[in-house]
Amino acid sequence: MTDGNIKFVQGNEACVEAALYAGLDFFAGYPITPSTEVAEHMSYRLPQIGGKFIQMEDEISSICAIIGASLTGHKVMTATSGPGFSLMQEGLGYAIMAEIPCVIVNVMRGGPSTGLPTAPSQGDVYQARWGAHGDHAIIALTASNHQDVFSITVDAFNMAETYRTPVILLFDEVIGHMRERLTIPEPGEIPVVGRLRTSVKAGIDYHPYLPREDGRLPMSDFGGQHRYNVTGLVHDMWGFPSNNPSVVHGLLRHLVDKIKNNVDTITRYKEYYLEDARTILISYGSSARSALHIVENRRARGERLGLLELQTIWPFPYGLVEEKCEKARHIVVVEMNMGQVLRAVKRAVHHPERVVLANRIDGVFITPTDIKNILRLIQGKGV
Amino acid sequence: MAIKDYLRQKFFPHMWCPGCGHGIVLNSMLRAVEELGFSKNEIVMVSGIGCSSRISGYVDFHSLHTLHGRALAFATGVKMSQPELNVIVPMGDGDALAIGGNHFIHAARRNIAMTAVVMNNRIYGMTGGQYSPLSGYGAIATTAPYTNIDHDFDIVELSKAAGATYVARTTTYHAQQMTKILKEAILHDGFSVVEVLTQCPTYFGRKNKLGSAADMMEYYKKNTTPIGSKAKAENPDLLERGVFVRKDLPEYCSEYDKVIETAMKGRS
């Protein structure tokens, strides 16, 4: 590693550098606070490596453009925030249905609607999960510092290719805009998953939607030797529209199972002092920084506090949360919303009555003091 | 290559109604591609949602059947990421100019090389005959049972104003002209728009008492005229057909190549 690999950057820029590390060469986006720097850095960096950047007319067209570019064999990404993420749900559903690898960054801000453009929030957890209509599974990842933003972004590209699916990066305003140290790994230091292409030769029937034995679907680039149909309609193994009940059933199961059956492989998390913890904080994104601060302070005073930091939000790691919280007397979910991950945690643990929320929803970053106040209540000390 | 070799015969019969004009558009389009001598692998057909958009499934090209109104946005990603591909985008009038109107004007403004074929039957056929932005004042539709009070777009004027560098209009009656225009449009190095008046006897024709499919095509014959014809001077109500705009302006992907060149220079 050289000094040149060390940078002092915003989270949004860390995300851009990671995407390039992962092989991204096409980006389409539309300006929106607090994600705009992703587009700005992309417009500067991509042409330097021969990649393409385009600013589209809105977020709808941005996600559509990256899907088109993914089909020609490129690694693609778009970035947005709250209202733009709402507009992208249509294209997101398409990418799920047509199984197009792509990465969508949502640097969360306060909502609903135009909300609080410049203030932090983590209110899009459920929009990431259920924003697109219809039954489906989704992968959504997050991180609490820039080094992790880097590695989780590379992970996002790897998962998008592995499972042929859109992957959402749920960052927040604090992560996006805060500047801190980032060390760019050397090439090869983090594994990068390339596009899996079919080995079927020209002239032999290629079935774009027939999974291999391992469940993966090798692709063929548009412009290549195999011509096939891609549609957002329910389709058969040829990619041709079908309303045959067994085809419909099979496709829906496939779309959900390919993610559901790989929860353990997709799950990323960090844990701090969980072994003997009586009180466990569960957090993610920038909130996890305040949570970690409290945990380390209390540990220094001998209190048995621990932190479970989730990096994979969806599919929710129910098994992991259940196992880690088995012996906890109190579980405090720390997040900047009215209890979105809290809801999933309550479903995961044996004693949902032991789960409480430490949150802020006023556009102000949640501080260690906010969490401390909740801990005092739990311990019967009053605020 | 025979025309039928460009079709995915295993996906037939098609889903269009008897008398629908869209089959004629498909025919002219395939003849254009055949006469240009393109290989099937060089063509990507991107479509949206609606009767017209099903055309992409029937052709043996790389085919991308996308979301309602969004075909040009998907096509922009395909073209920009792989500029050597020829991108043809068939759309309905509602698809292209109601829900897709914003993408339409911006694709035209960028002058990105692709061919937008607007199959204008003045109605939403797939959902059962609702008025479109091309139905026009006074038309009858299932959502305008008394009369339509919405005024229509002029696709040619809209495309010109938005910056399209090739703009043409033809009809299903003039199938040979359509082939000729489509050939030119596909070869054009910039954003080309071809409006094709195509009959929907099932909904627009029936609701507006325009007779059979043949009657509707007869109407195209009698009510259109070549651009600048004597007939137009005598009867200004006639609708002109032919090529309205043919301009040579820098194409978007080539322009971006220059951006790459500049960025790479700055780096070394």
Side-chain angles (χ1 to χ4, degrees):
Chain A
M1 190 217 303
T2 64
D3 286 351
N5 290 23
I6 300 172
K7 295 182 183 302
F8 185 65
V9 293
Q10 289 189 326
N12 284 340
E13 195 175 347
C15 174
V16 170
E17 290 303 325
L20 297 174
Y21 184 96
L24 170 108
D25 59 359
F26 187 92
F27 179 95
Y30 187 80
I32 185 166
T33 306
S35 77
T36 307
E37 295 81 8
V38 178
E40 286 177 341
H41 288 296
M42 283 292 184
S43 73
Y44 180 71
R45 292 283 283 121
L46 269 173
Q48 291 179 339
I49 57 155
K52 310 270 175 86
F53 165 90
I54 185 169
Q55 183 171 312
M56 294 298 287
E57 55 270 18
D58 55 25
E59 290 87 350
I60 300 170
S61 49
S62 299
I63 191 166
C64 295
I66 65 163
I67 293 169
S70 183
L71 276 165
T72 64
H74 297 267
K75 286 197 175 178
V76 301
M77 180 169 116
T78 186
T80 190
S81 299
F85 190 53
S86 297
L87 287 178
M88 285 186 184
Q89 297 305 322
E90 184 192 32
L92 182 65
Y94 185 92
I96 291 166
M97 181 56 114
E99 301 188 68
I100 312 293
C102 55
V103 174
I104 296 119
V105 180
N106 175 11
V107 185
M108 291 182 281
R109 68 190 218 184
S113 190
T114 313
L116 280 169
T118 57
S121 162
Q122 293 173 317
D124 301 351
V125 170
Y126 275 90
Q127 190 179 21
R129 178 62 190 90
W130 289 116
H133 59 276
D135 281 317
H136 61 273
I138 195 81
I139 300 176
L141 311 172
T142 187
S144 64
N145 63 65
H146 294 5
Q147 206 59 51
D148 288 354
V149 164
F150 193 99
S151 52
I152 210 78
T153 300
V154 177
D155 266 340
F157 279 91
N158 289 348
M159 290 182 194
E161 294 295 335
T162 304
Y163 302 107
R164 272 194 70 168
T165 186
V167 175
I168 297 163
L169 284 168
L170 268 185
F171 297 138
D172 56 70
E173 192 274 339
V174 172
I175 293 299
H177 282 163
M178 178 182 61
R179 285 181 188 274
E180 69 179 3
R181 179 194 162 107
L182 168 73
T183 306
I184 311 260
E186 293 295 337
E189 215 175 309
I190 306 179
V192 168
V193 176
R195 179 70 46 97
L196 176 68
R197 293 188 170 86
T198 181
S199 57
V200 172
K201 298 206 167 41
I204 297 169
D205 276 345
Y206 159 67
H207 302 97
Y209 292 101
L210 184 66
R212 299 195 306 198
E213 275 181 15
D214 62 358
R216 292 186 69 185
L217 288 91
M219 298 184 76
S220 176
D221 299 344
F222 268 31
Q225 292 301 312
H226 298 289
R227 298 175 302 277
Y228 58 97
N229 191 52
V230 176
T231 178
L233 287 163
V234 169
H235 46 271
D236 58 20
M237 65 180 181
W238 301 97
F240 204 72
S242 171
N243 51 16
N244 176 329
S246 64
V247 171
V248 179
H249 183 262
L251 177 63
L252 224 59
R253 285 248 58 118
H254 161 72
L255 293 178
V256 171
D257 288 351
K258 70 178 179 181
I259 290 171
K260 199 175 150 193
N261 294 344
N262 289 293
V263 174
D264 292 344
T265 324
I266 295 167
T267 297
R268 302 278 183 282
Y269 69 98
K270 289 175 126 178
E271 59 171 280
Y272 302 88
Y273 315 105
L274 284 188
E275 316 74 43
D276 63 341
R278 294 203 174 161
T279 301
I280 293 180
L281 307 188
I282 298 181
S283 192
Y284 55 98
S286 64
S287 304
R289 299 171 75 99
S290 293
L292 182 58
H293 183 89
I294 281 283
V295 167
E296 285 182 336
N297 268 357
R298 294 291 169 104
R299 276 283 162 179
R301 283 159 40 183
E303 285 185 40
R304 285 159 70 177
L305 237 70
L307 169 66
L308 174 61
E309 180 191 336
L310 301 177
Q311 293 180 315
T312 297
I313 304 287
W314 304 114
F316 194 79
Y318 288 103
L320 173 84
V321 171
E322 180 190 3
E323 180 203 323
K324 298 288 180 192
C325 294
E326 222 166 6
K327 291 175 192 149
R329 289 188 191 161
H330 304 288
I331 299 146
V332 183
V333 179
V334 183
E335 54 184 340
M336 288 183 285
N337 58 47
M338 294 179 83
Q340 298 194 9
V341 161
L342 173 92
R343 188 170 183 269
V345 170
K346 282 195 174 212
R347 292 175 68 183
V349 299
H350 284 299
H351 298 284
E353 72 281 0
R354 293 181 185 171
V355 184
V356 297
L357 177 65
N359 71 340
R360 272 195 95 130
I361 54 163
D362 56 357
V364 178
F365 179 61
I366 190 162
T367 62
T369 310
D370 297 319
I371 305 167
K372 202 157 56 185
N373 290 341
I374 298 296
L375 292 176
R376 287 177 65 88
L377 280 176
I378 292 171
Q379 291 159 348
K381 292 178 184 166
V383 181
Chain B
M1 207 185 296
I3 286 294
K4 68 172 173 45
D5 292 336
Y6 288 97
L7 292 171
R8 290 176 173 148
Q9 294 185 49
K10 62 172 166 284
F11 300 140
F12 276 70
H14 61 68
M15 47 73 75
W16 295 318
C17 302
C20 175
H22 293 352
I24 301 172
V25 181
L26 172 59
N27 188 330
S28 287
M29 205 180 270
L30 295 183
R31 284 181 199 281
V33 171
E34 186 205 17
E35 287 174 24
L36 289 172
F38 282 141
S39 105
K40 295 192 277 189
N41 282 338
E42 294 174 275
I43 297 179
V44 180
M45 193 172 277
V46 186
S47 65
I49 295 294
C51 300
S52 59
S53 298
R54 290 301 182 93
I55 206 168
S56 63
Y58 303 132
V59 292
D60 191 17
F61 306 134
H62 303 285
S63 62
L64 181 55
H65 178 238
T66 70
L67 296 162
H68 196 25
R70 319 290 175 221
L72 288 168
F74 281 85
T76 299
V78 171
K79 180 68 185 180
M80 199 175 168
S81 63
Q82 220 62 39
E84 67 275 15
L85 294 171
N86 290 290
V87 180
I88 304 174
V89 189
M91 296 172 284
D93 45 300
D95 191 41
L97 295 166
I99 190 164
N102 200 31
H103 310 307
F104 185 86
I105 56 174
H106 287 277
R109 175 179 64 81
R110 289 188 191 104
N111 195 34
I112 186 163
M114 56 180 65
T115 305
V117 183
V118 184
M119 297 155 74
N120 177 10
N121 59 10
R122 305 179 61 189
I123 201 90
Y124 288 92
M126 190 164 266
T127 46
Q130 297 75 32
Y131 66 86
S132 87
L134 271 302
S135 294
Y137 189 86
I140 300 293
T142 55
T143 45
Y146 304 109
T147 187
N148 184 24
I149 58 165
D150 276 31
H151 294 280
D152 54 346
F153 277 133
D154 180 325
I155 297 177
V156 168
E157 291 302 322
L158 180 73
S159 308
K160 278 159 75 175
T165 48
Y166 183 96
V167 181
R169 179 192 286 133
T170 183
T171 87
T172 50
Y173 181 84
H174 305 90
Q176 287 178 342
Q177 182 193 35
M178 197 194 318
T179 301
K180 212 174 131 225
I181 285 175
L182 285 169
K183 270 167 69 180
E184 209 183 345
I186 293 167
L187 287 179
H188 178 72
D189 191 24
F191 190 74
S192 53
V193 179
V194 179
E195 177 188 5
V196 183
L197 303 179
T198 164
Q199 71 277 9
C200 173
T202 305
Y203 291 110
F204 194 79
R206 187 161 52 89
K207 284 279 171 194
N208 292 283
K209 302 192 169 33
L210 297 176
S212 67
D215 293 334
M216 294 178 81
M217 290 174 72
E218 184 97 28
Y219 178 90
Y220 295 149
K221 180 191 173 191
K222 288 185 180 153
N223 291 280
T224 63
T225 183
I227 296 170
S229 71
K230 205 173 139 206
K232 175 74 181 175
E234 286 162 7
N235 181 4
D237 287 344
L238 291 178
L239 195 62
E240 287 175 301
R241 59 188 164 75
V243 182
F244 294 83
V245 177
R246 197 188 270 116
K247 275 196 292 200
D248 193 16
L249 285 174
E251 193 273 333
Y252 194 77
C253 300
S254 320
E255 289 292 289
Y256 198 83
D257 285 343
K258 293 183 202 161
V259 172
I260 292 178
E261 212 176 295
T262 311
M264 283 182 156
K265 250 188 234 153
R267 220 181 176 211
S268 57

